[in-house]
Amino acid sequence: MNRALAIFALALCAAAATAADLGKGQTIAAQVCAACHGADGNSPTPVNPKLAGQIPEYLQKQMRNFKPEDGKKATRENPVMMGMVAGLSAEDMRNVAAYYGSRNLKGGATRGRDTAALGQKIYRGGDVSRGLPACAGCHGPNGAGVPVQYPRLSGQYMEYTEAQLRAFRSGQRANDLNAMMRAIAAKMSDDEIRAVSDYIAGLH
């Protein structure tokens, strides 16, 4: 019993040591991120993604990927973001990711009935004949994502999602695990990418 209690106590101490500080995260967000992504993570412009309600581990990974390591190029290259994260420590990233993850996302809406219908078909069922998997298989039926593994998509700006799918398809963005998103996007046409992006914008 004593051994079990000791292990439990150590686990609590470890959790406390690695727990994110939302207050510090909010300060960093206000100083570094708010101009583009909004103080609460709801970006004011479609060029920049909404971060509110995003899975913190995903945000941490993206920030790490924007930083060159061990003399190697950044895994995800973007001049603006590379400059923004240059001065952030691993702890800073954890704190700001947790802060934005704790904010409430302001949802979006689909724009076209026809594009949304095609987007829904692909998002929920994919296209077996082409080996195109359903987006819902990883990101969930409502786009909430899976903690640690897959990001939240629901409510994201159509323009941003479309841009990222195009970047995966061209290979411009290549920080996806096992090239999973590159392989999927390679099977999608421009119309399908736009339709899925429109559908995702309206998911809640």
Side-chain angles (χ1 to χ4, degrees):
M1 179 65 74
N2 289 336
R3 183 172 181 275
L5 288 174
I7 293 174
F8 180 69
L10 286 172
L12 287 179
C13 289
T18 58
D21 187 319
L22 297 185
K24 290 182 179 179
Q26 183 176 15
T27 298
I28 296 169
Q31 295 174 343
V32 181
C33 318
C36 294
H37 297 286
D40 65 349
N42 286 288
S43 167
T45 172
V47 175
N48 304 312
K50 298 176 185 179
L51 304 182
Q54 185 57 269
I55 294 170
E57 292 84 359
Y58 174 77
L59 292 179
Q60 282 183 260
K61 178 186 183 299
Q62 298 312 304
M63 285 186 278
R64 287 197 307 271
N65 288 171
F66 283 123
K67 294 190 75 168
E69 293 184 349
D70 302 323
K72 298 178 181 179
K73 294 174 60 177
T75 309
R76 185 176 179 185
E77 294 187 288
N78 178 291
V80 174
M81 280 304 304
M82 290 169 75
M84 293 295 102
V85 303
L88 299 182
S89 66
E91 181 181 1
D92 291 335
M93 293 181 193
R94 183 171 66 248
N95 290 337
V96 75
Y99 168 70
Y100 274 135
S102 71
R103 301 298 89 190
N104 292 321
L105 174 71
K106 294 178 182 177
T110 57
R111 297 182 183 178
R113 180 177 299 178
D114 293 338
T115 55
L118 174 59
Q120 180 181 36
K121 179 181 178 181
I122 295 170
Y123 186 91
R124 294 188 176 278
D127 187 337
V128 178
S129 67
R130 290 184 290 148
L132 180 64
C135 310
C138 291
H139 297 283
N142 63 351
V146 177
V148 182
Q149 295 179 294
Y150 305 110
R152 177 176 185 162
L153 301 180
S154 62
Q156 188 57 264
Y157 283 121
M158 172 184 171
E159 294 87 345
Y160 180 76
T161 302
E162 182 178 4
Q164 296 313 301
L165 285 172
R166 287 176 179 272
F168 278 127
R169 187 176 65 181
S170 70
Q172 180 183 1
R173 180 174 174 181
N175 70 326
D176 49 326
L177 182 64
N178 298 324
M180 183 184 299
M181 283 305 305
R182 279 170 281 174
I184 292 171
K187 299 176 181 178
M188 299 177 70
S189 67
D190 288 345
D191 288 343
E192 289 171 334
I193 285 177
R194 176 170 285 273
V196 166
S197 300
D198 189 16
Y199 178 70
I200 285 171
L203 277 176
H204 300 289

